Amino acid sequence: MQHFPGTYTWSGARAAGMSRRQIEADGVRLGRGVYLSRGETEDLATRCRAWAPVLPEGGAFGLQTAAALLGAPVDPPDVVRAVVRPDRLVPHRSGLTVVHRDLRPEDVVEIDGLPVTSGSQTFLDLARCTRPDELVAVGDALYRLGHLDADRLEQRLDRAEGLRGVVRARACAPRLTPLAMSRPESLVRCWILDSPLPDPEPQIPIENRFGVVVTHGDLGWRRYRLVLEYEGGGHATQEKLDSDVERHSLAAADGYLVQRFARKHLARPAVLLDRVEAALLSRGWRPPPRR
């Protein structure tokens, strides 16, 4: 019985002794000369493994593909995207998009055996085509997952002078934090930072009257004893509900107002900001006088 690998190229399969009929019967064609065995689950990592033999030396999976492989909150792209050095040519193939960048060895990491652009390179590449709040959400996730830090990002941006997207990347870099636990938290934080409202603190510690930290809020202001909490789909279980009630009760017991928001509010930033402003005003905040 012929053993079929999970992914293979036409030329590699033929060299291994597979017949044309066997390849056609087993393989799902991902692109010219690249096949996925019907026995494999077609996810992004598997598709990348199929395309990996096509990449030239020094090439790596990049942009949205890299962000997804690194664990950032992006939708896996339908077409695999790769980055290669300017002196490398890759023939056009459907299912694979290639862009050229000045990649150095430090700009490529290995994720589950796949070459992937580093966190800082991915952040810089996405800055060309991603709006600032979504870019911060990706950067926060890369920080949280250990793929990015201030030093590595600064070093990459220092040698990016004149590149498209570097201005946006530099503007967003100071806003990044490993404390944000989700994309919605990052988005809301960015919207508030861009508004006249005071800057919020991520993962704000909430202390009881004895000075003991009893819980944390997603975002908040200690001075105004106001907490913002995002309630996503993961909060729908009974266990999580019990935990949320306990946390909110502890916060309220020590004088905090807990303001909750959900997925539908992400499509209405102005409404969300109006409600946050009203809550801050109720807690004693006053907007600075207009000049």
Side-chain angles (χ1 to χ4, degrees):
M1 180 177 293
Q2 175 69 50
H3 172 70
F4 291 95
T7 61
Y8 46 85
T9 62
W10 178 275
S11 58
R14 292 290 286 143
M18 293 171 65
S19 69
R20 292 175 180 270
R21 183 170 297 179
Q22 285 176 312
I23 296 173
E24 291 170 355
D26 172 76
V28 176
R29 186 176 183 272
L30 299 180
R32 182 164 57 88
V34 177
Y35 291 83
L36 171 71
S37 174
R38 297 183 191 278
E40 288 288 312
T41 301
E42 185 179 346
D43 57 17
L44 180 62
T46 303
R47 285 190 285 132
C48 288
R49 274 191 280 275
W51 285 109
V54 175
L55 298 184
E57 181 181 358
F61 296 104
L63 294 112
Q64 292 87 351
T65 300
L69 292 172
L70 292 169
V74 299
D75 293 329
D78 294 330
V79 176
V80 171
R81 307 199 69 182
V83 178
V84 301
R85 295 199 297 264
D87 59 342
R88 306 290 183 180
L89 296 178
V90 179
H92 173 74
R93 295 170 183 257
S94 61
L96 176 70
T97 298
V98 175
V99 298
H100 292 90
R101 299 285 187 270
D102 179 24
L103 282 185
R104 299 183 182 179
E106 61 267 28
D107 299 328
V108 179
V109 297
E110 186 176 296
I111 301 295
D112 295 331
L114 294 169
V116 178
T117 53
S118 66
S120 54
Q121 180 67 42
T122 301
F123 183 82
L124 175 59
D125 287 340
L126 289 178
R128 301 183 178 209
C129 56
T130 306
R131 73 188 198 201
D133 56 348
E134 292 286 4
L135 183 63
V136 169
V138 170
D140 284 351
L142 295 178
Y143 258 71
R144 184 174 66 250
L145 296 168
H147 299 303
L148 191 63
D149 57 51
D151 290 340
R152 283 182 285 179
L153 183 55
E154 182 180 9
Q155 290 173 10
R156 182 63 190 93
L157 296 182
D158 281 347
R159 60 182 178 87
E161 194 65 40
L163 295 181
R164 283 183 55 201
V166 68
V167 173
R168 179 175 294 175
R170 287 173 175 166
C172 291
R175 293 186 167 190
L176 303 185
T177 174
L179 298 179
M181 294 293 106
S182 69
R183 170 179 170 269
E185 291 179 40
S186 299
L187 295 180
V188 173
R189 190 178 82 254
C190 279
W191 299 342
I192 296 174
L193 291 175
D194 286 332
S195 77
L197 302 177
D199 294 352
E201 179 182 352
Q203 292 302 307
I204 175 175
I206 298 174
E207 298 178 351
N208 63 16
R209 62 185 180 277
F210 303 110
V212 177
V213 176
V214 293
T215 186
H216 288 78
D218 293 340
L219 293 169
W221 296 264
R222 299 192 212 195
R223 178 178 178 181
Y224 303 107
R225 302 185 82 76
L226 173 63
V227 173
L228 304 184
E229 286 280 297
Y230 176 73
E231 308 286 357
H235 292 251
T237 65
Q238 185 62 51
E239 181 180 1
K240 187 59 178 173
L241 176 62
D242 292 343
S243 174
D244 288 342
V245 170
E246 177 72 7
R247 292 170 56 247
H248 296 162
S249 296
L250 288 171
D254 289 292
Y256 276 84
L257 171 63
V258 180
Q259 192 171 40
R260 303 159 74 186
F261 61 98
R263 184 176 61 180
K264 74 174 185 177
H265 297 111
L266 299 182
R268 306 169 68 192
V271 172
L272 187 149
L273 290 174
D274 284 345
R275 294 179 183 178
V276 172
E277 180 179 12
L280 281 166
L281 289 170
S282 76
R283 309 298 284 183
W285 172 77
R286 293 295 178 266
R290 296 182 178 180
R291 295 183 178 180

